[in-house]
Amino acid sequence: MTATAPESLTIGRLARAAGVGVETIRYYQQRGLLPVPSTVGAFRHYPVGLTARIHFIKRAQELGFSLDEITELLRLEDGAHRKSIRRIATDRLGQIEQKLADLKRMQKVLRHLVTECEHTGNELPCPIIATLASPASGSERVHLAT
């Protein structure tokens, strides 16, 4: 006799099948990303198909989408509204590009400060510490070496 796949799962089994914690399932429910099934007996039973939805959410998070954006993408998951889907993805891409630009600026400043620290004699303050201790705002410090 062969075992058949269950039609529904408890929250613990759903979490294990999806590779997340039970707390994650509950949080997604609070955020409206997953439905809260009715209780049957002492347990709630979740459709097995919710594992695919959880994987969708996790993949979207790996690409940097916020849970609000993921909620919208799930609403559009039939693919019929590609303009809206592209807008969400394009906005996210712009945010990623801005972060990359910020990281490159920080890299340039830190590289400069490390070089200055390496070539400054011990009789002078370390340029890294001096820059961090400076009363200038963070944005002014970041642009010192740019």
Side-chain angles (χ1 to χ4, degrees):
M1 183 171 172
T2 61
T4 59
E7 293 180 19
S8 65
L9 302 168
T10 61
I11 192 169
R13 288 188 175 157
L14 175 64
R16 275 191 300 281
V20 298
V22 170
E23 303 81 23
T24 300
I25 303 287
R26 290 192 177 117
Y27 182 68
Y28 289 169
Q29 289 174 323
Q30 290 171 357
R31 294 293 305 257
L33 293 161
L34 295 176
V36 179
S38 58
T39 304
V40 177
F43 300 98
R44 295 184 190 278
H45 290 272
Y46 296 80
V48 174
L50 281 184
T51 57
R53 188 175 183 98
I54 294 167
H55 289 144
F56 179 103
I57 294 166
K58 298 309 285 179
R59 282 191 298 268
Q61 285 180 311
E62 289 170 3
L63 290 174
F65 288 104
S66 69
L67 291 179
D68 289 338
E69 291 166 330
I70 294 169
T71 300
E72 186 65 14
L73 290 169
L74 285 166
R75 192 179 68 73
L76 301 167
E77 73 180 319
D78 66 2
H81 298 89
R82 291 192 180 199
K83 185 176 182 180
S84 296
I85 296 167
R86 279 194 313 273
R87 179 191 47 78
I88 294 167
T90 300
D91 289 350
R92 174 54 53 197
L93 187 58
Q95 292 169 2
I96 290 169
E97 289 167 348
Q98 182 60 52
K99 282 183 182 181
L100 285 171
D102 291 343
L103 287 170
K104 286 181 182 190
R105 274 193 299 279
M106 288 187 277
Q107 179 187 39
K108 183 178 178 181
V109 170
L110 282 173
R111 185 173 283 135
H112 171 77
L113 290 172
V114 166
T115 300
E116 289 293 312
C117 182
E118 194 175 326
H119 295 96
T120 301
N122 288 339
E123 67 281 355
L124 297 172
C126 171
I128 297 169
I129 300 299
T131 299
L132 296 174
S134 168
S137 72
S139 63
E140 289 172 352
R141 278 196 300 266
V142 169
H143 295 291
L144 286 176
T146 57

